[in-house]
Amino acid sequence: MSTLLIAEQVLNGLQLGVTLFLMAAGLTLVFGVMGLINLAHGSLYMIGAFCCAFVSVETGSFFLGLLAGMAGAAVAGALLEMVVMQRLYARDHLDQVLATFALILIASEGTRWVFGDVPLFLDVPEAFSGTIELIGGLTYSKYRLLIIFVGLLVALGLYWLIARTRLGMRIRAGESDREMIAALGVNIRLVYTIVFALGAALAGLAGSMVGALSSVQVGMGEPVLILAFVVIVIGGIGSVKGALIGALLVGLVDTLGRVFLPSFFQLFMNNSDATTLGSSLASMAIYVVMAIVLAVRPQGLFPATGTSSA
Amino acid sequence: MKKTVLAATTAVSVAMLSLAAATTASAELKVGMITTLSGGGASLGVDVRDGFQLALKMAGDQQIELLIEDDGRKPENAVKIADKFISSDKVDVLTGIIWSNLAMAVVPKTVRGGTFYISPNAGPSALAGKGCHENYFNAAWQNDNLHEAMGNYANDAGYSKSFILAPNYPAGKDALTGYKRFYKGDAAGEIYTKLGQTDYAAEIAQIKNSDADSVFFFLPGGMGIAFMKQYAQSGVDLPVLGPAFSFDQGILGAVGDAALGVKNSSQWSKDLPNPANKAFVEAFTEEYGRLPSLYASQGFDTANLILSAAAKTEVSDKAAFRDALRAADFESVRGDFSFGPNHHPIQNIYVREVIKEGDVLTNKIVSTGLEDHSDAYAVDCKM
Amino acid sequence: MSRESRVSLVVLVGLPVAAFIAHISGETYIINLLTRMTVLGLAGIGLNFALGYGGMVSFGHAAFFGLGAYVTGIAAFHAFDDSLFATVPFELASTNQMLQIWLIALLLAGLLALLIGFISLRTSGVYFIMITLAFAQMLYYFAISWPTYGGEDGLSIYLRNEFPGVQTDKAFSFFLLCFAILLLVLLLCWRFVNARFGAALQGARMNALRLSSIGIAPFPVKLTAFVISAMIVALAGALFAELNGFVSPTSLSWHMSGELIIFVILGGVGRLVGPLIGAIVFVLLETYLGGLTDRWQFFLGLILLATVLFANGGIMGLIGGRTRHD
């Protein structure tokens, strides 16, 4: 296998990792600050993608669509937070799991109600279509490079937001001691709504960007949701840094596993058996990684400091 | 205390029984349709249902009573609904299932119990070979058919190094086996992907780095949409081949221009010139305001098959009804159609090309992939 | 008698009475529906043992449910063509006797739960939820891509397996068999919960530190409860496979784990008969909402959401009054 191919597959792994990070960042923030486990995060991803596809087709501009995707998901998120989630913060994880599981049913069937049964059309914008040559003869999809770039930008932005701004200070304070910050006169409810909407907007961004590459259809959020949970659990729940590292780890393990496991088994098995066995193991790989990480470090790689609820 | 218990339970049971009985009205022939009307794969079930109902409407038929229930694409639900249709509603014929795994859950038990099952979509190999049954008819195709036609087409087109991929589940394995059964060249690579996977960057990179001269894939539903879009972005320009499932009317709109020019195999196409098809396409477009899909055509044919048998004989005479079904005495929208010894179709499989009619993507037939094609499992069927 | 006990009694008497009425009016479909409620309720009761009493929120109990189902399916598969059930580590002839199949299912589920529990119980909270999910997902993907036993197509069980003295292929007899097992399990659970072990388990849920300080290590107590819970769920899975005449990987999917949790919460967490009520209500909703509208999942979601938000404590909490103290 050539170096070029390996380099390209590493880029693919990075790109998958970065999209997972966009999903995982919102999940982990919401958990870290509000102590809420939100299974409906994948629905926000789906809502973002549907808004983006709808606006893109109506206006003919992908970038307007992207904005609509983020805005749509953020509005849906804010509404969800005010109507449903606020009642769940004081409950145990069990109630949160069931309530957000119910929200998945509502969101999926509701979306199908509004947009119909067939998948929607959403394509990569003209300017980013096709490939570009990187160093050493390696060609790579422009759009995928854009995703990697946007994802890393978001990671930097989040770091700045949490470490350097007033809102970030309140978020950090909320993570360590919820009652105290409320007692200090900060409108903690507003902070919660903003954090939730922010997480939703990131999910909407991920849904819109990935939707252009894959398909915009009901149920598209569920596989990503499970992966995002794997990511935040590996990284340490509540930690944005952990989410980034976890996302890149999962992206690389999944992509490289899919490519190299079947070839590995071909070394000592016949072709068809090796392909079957390799593919089966590849689809289990990230769960194995997760089990190993948790067996060694029960709080994940980067346990968030100050959270007592995790 | 005991009285309340008894009263409560009697009330509940009476309510349940009356609900069960509410649907029992008299008709000449009762058909139970179990299909997928909610969740991700709903568009296929909706098309089969609409095609079926259109056929009943066009025939002006009063003697068939159609019951429809949604299986939500869960095998356990399909089993439950089949149980209700058979033991409670006493239907004569079951139909409607879209997915092979649901068919495998329902069909063997149903046909052994003496109820007819007519498949409008799934055709798993287990039901075509050793597991065939006299009460089971398939009005669509055996699962391998469309892939076999594509393999044959690859020979004709002069491809000798195909890169082939499918999801890692039984239908995916059948697809690649079917393709290889007719394809004479070498495989430049063979990949099984994860079921439900939506990112194919890694696989496309492997295609790019192989010495393939063509790509054959079977990725139904959203997986196919994702693959085609990403393939178009990747800069690889090898010709793509596939079965109709990823290039059918319901899905083309979402794939977009990336699908233009792709050759795909199907037993039906909107532009087939026979009169039955012309009438069907016109009536369907008028009734539902969209172009019919492959699945709609299969639902339509299934209904007409049942109607043709019901016109000949009473369903109470099972042997006569079975013979009437076997005769397949109806105008199929796909042209010539008859049943082989295992009650699976003998039919032409066409090769279509994705084109644009005005703004709408659709298919046109370019050649015949396999003529009067049966399936590889018929020889194992002892009926 | 407390209101909770009265409600429980109504349900436990009501089920067989309803089945009997359906039996004499020849409605086998209704009997099968009641059997479905019984079996899913049994699974819910199994999960409740870990979740309600032990506070272990497992999002991966589908692994055990599916395992039980697959043992049944695989046994039937081999009994059908008279091949061996297992060759490694020793030769095991296949069987169509439910008791033998259940023994294997219970043993395997117990071993699997020991392994999963040993690793997972080192974690807590969301980590526990997610690691149990991860293990179930591993089994799910394995089952889908493993061709020998049907992969995603699953396995058909053409003839229901046999149980001494019971005509298992008759709907009513099979219902009675399942119901008898349900009663037996309920009795066992009740004994457990009210014994020293149950007190220790509930202690481990409420305050592990205090439990250790009186000389009981919480880990073995929780692990034992996890294993018992898994075995009950596996038994339910085996019965579910017999009822449907079919096994598929969907019984291992995370949706199945979610449904089991729904039974428990809908009925009432930590109530002995609660999950059975949850299963009854869920099956009724699923069956009759589906007949009313194609959009039934939307309304099912609304109902579930309303239950969590406004009826904390589930149906049992609503009609039985609050008894549980945390």
Side-chain angles (χ1 to χ4, degrees), chain A residues 31 37 39 83-84 87-88 91-110 112-113 117 222 225-226 229-230 232-238 276 279-281 283-284 287-291 294-300 302-304 309-310, chain C residues 51-52 57-59 119 122-135 137-139 141-142 145-147 254-259 261-266 269 282 293-313 324 326:
Chain A
F31 187 85
I37 170 167
L39 294 185
V83 177
V84 180
R87 300 169 195 272
L88 292 173
R91 303 288 189 84
D92 58 11
H93 293 324
L94 194 57
D95 283 357
Q96 297 174 350
V97 166
L98 182 63
T100 51
F101 187 85
L103 284 174
I104 296 181
L105 294 179
I106 298 174
S108 295
E109 214 48 48
R112 214 167 66 84
W113 212 335
D117 298 315
E222 290 180 20
L225 170 80
I226 304 265
F229 266 112
V230 172
I232 64 168
V233 166
I234 289 180
I237 301 172
T276 312
S279 319
S280 310
L281 288 181
S283 56
M284 295 160 63
Y287 300 108
V288 176
V289 169
M290 172 173 161
L294 288 194
V296 181
R297 299 185 64 134
Q299 299 283 298
F302 299 94
S309 45
Chain C
L51 191 154
V57 184
S58 164
F59 203 1
I119 298 173
R122 294 159 46 92
T123 69
S124 60
V126 186
Y127 293 95
F128 183 80
I129 299 181
M130 288 302 147
I131 194 170
T132 46
L133 171 69
F135 280 110
Q137 288 288 99
M138 281 184 222
L139 280 189
Y141 281 112
F142 183 67
S145 46
W146 193 28
W254 71 279
H255 286 109
M256 188 69 224
S257 297
E259 276 179 22
I261 294 184
I262 290 178
F263 302 153
V264 176
I265 303 184
L266 204 56
V269 179
F282 187 81
T293 161
D294 284 354
R295 313 279 181 207
W296 63 276
Q297 294 195 344
F298 185 84
F299 297 102
L300 178 64
L302 280 182
I303 293 172
L304 290 179
L305 187 62
T307 314
V308 184
L309 291 185
F310 306 115
N312 199 5
R324 192 179 136 178
D326 275 316

Side-chain angles (χ1 to χ4, degrees), chain A residues 31-67:
Chain A
F31 187 85
V33 180
M34 289 93 103
L36 177 82
I37 170 167
N38 178 20
L39 294 185
H41 203 63
S43 302
L44 296 166
Y45 172 89
M46 174 184 73
I47 289 171
F50 271 85
C51 290
C52 176
F54 182 74
V55 172
S56 292
V57 170
E58 291 297 310
T59 63
S61 158
F62 176 77
F63 290 97
L64 281 182
L66 208 57
L67 285 179

Side-chain angles (χ1 to χ4, degrees), chain B residues 189-212:
Chain B
E190 181 173 347
I191 297 183
Y192 287 111
T193 61
K194 187 161 137 185
L195 190 65
Q197 183 176 326
T198 52
D199 193 296
Y200 293 94
E203 289 74 13
I204 293 171
Q206 281 173 279
I207 295 174
K208 193 159 115 187
N209 279 270
S210 71
D211 55 352

Side-chain angles (χ1 to χ4, degrees), chain B residues 1 4-6 8-10 12-14 16-17 19-21 37-39 49 69-77 79-81 83-85 87-88 90 100-102 104-106 108-109 112 124 168-171 173-174 194-195, chain C residues 1 6 9-10 13-15 17-18 21-22 25-30 32-34 36-37 141 144-145 147 150-154 156-158 160 240 242-246 248 250-251 259 283-284 286-288 290-291 294 296-297:
Chain B
M1 175 66 217
T4 24
V5 175
L6 272 176
T9 49
T10 321
V12 170
S13 347
V14 168
M16 283 171 71
L17 288 173
L19 268 168
L37 300 172
S38 67
R49 179 194 66 188
E69 290 230 15
D70 171 30
D71 59 35
R73 206 179 169 171
K74 282 191 191 159
E76 291 80 9
N77 281 355
V79 168
K80 190 180 73 178
I81 298 165
D83 184 25
K84 170 173 178 287
F85 278 159
S87 66
S88 180
K90 314 264 187 283
S100 290
N101 58 330
L102 273 68
M104 288 306 296
V106 168
K109 238 184 171 176
R112 275 175 179 74
N168 195 18
Y169 77 127
K173 285 181 188 139
D174 286 353
K194 187 161 137 185
L195 190 65
Chain C
M1 205 190 275
R6 260 185 285 169
L9 197 70
V10 169
V13 175
L15 266 182
V17 170
I21 296 176
S25 27
E27 287 286 351
T28 49
Y29 166 64
I30 303 286
N32 286 339
L33 211 56
L34 293 163
R36 201 180 163 86
M37 294 168 181
Y141 281 112
I144 274 198
S145 46
E152 201 211 17
D153 282 356
S156 283
I157 303 168
Y158 295 110
R160 213 168 259 171
F240 197 61
E242 301 276 4
L243 172 67
N244 288 326
F246 181 75
S248 85
T250 47
S251 59
E259 276 179 22
V283 171
L284 282 177
E286 196 184 52
T287 310
Y288 293 111
D294 284 354
W296 63 276
Q297 294 195 344

Side-chain angles (χ1 to χ4, degrees), chain C residues 100-295:
Chain C
Q100 294 175 24
I101 294 171
W102 294 345
L103 190 68
I104 299 170
L106 288 176
L107 273 176
L108 285 178
L111 283 175
L112 183 69
L114 208 56
L115 177 77
I116 295 182
F118 188 77
I119 298 173
S120 307
L121 283 171
R122 294 159 46 92
T123 69
S124 60
V126 186
Y127 293 95
F128 183 80
I129 299 181
M130 288 302 147
I131 194 170
T132 46
L133 171 69
F135 280 110
Q137 288 288 99
M138 281 184 222
L139 280 189
Y140 172 72
Y141 281 112
F142 183 67
I144 274 198
S145 46
W146 193 28
T148 320
Y149 296 120
E152 201 211 17
D153 282 356
L155 281 172
S156 283
I157 303 168
Y158 295 110
L159 295 172
R160 213 168 259 171
N161 293 306
E162 289 167 9
F163 189 91
V166 180
Q167 279 187 300
T168 51
D169 54 339
K170 297 272 180 287
F172 190 56
S173 318
F174 186 66
F175 167 82
L176 289 179
L177 178 63
C178 294
F179 192 72
I181 292 170
L182 177 82
L183 288 182
L184 198 68
V185 169
L186 274 177
L187 189 71
L188 280 175
C189 282
W190 182 71
R191 290 289 301 264
F192 262 124
V193 170
N194 291 309
R196 264 176 53 98
F197 177 77
L201 181 60
Q202 307 207 39
R205 182 188 79 224
M206 291 176 207
N207 195 333
L209 203 61
R210 198 177 295 164
L211 189 70
S212 346
S213 68
I214 55 167
I216 303 175
F219 186 83
V221 175
K222 286 184 124 177
L223 188 58
T224 313
F226 190 75
V227 170
I228 294 173
S229 154
M231 288 164 90
I232 299 173
V233 173
L235 184 59
L239 290 171
F240 197 61
E242 301 276 4
L243 172 67
N244 288 326
F246 181 75
V247 189
S248 85
T250 47
S251 59
L252 290 161
S253 73
W254 71 279
H255 286 109
M256 188 69 224
S257 297
E259 276 179 22
L260 293 179
I261 294 184
I262 290 178
F263 302 153
V264 176
I265 303 184
L266 204 56
V269 179
R271 317 271 190 153
L272 204 53
V273 187
L276 178 62
I277 298 179
I280 292 174
V281 172
F282 187 81
V283 171
L284 282 177
L285 283 177
E286 196 184 52
T287 310
Y288 293 111
L289 269 184
L292 294 179
T293 161
D294 284 354
R295 313 279 181 207

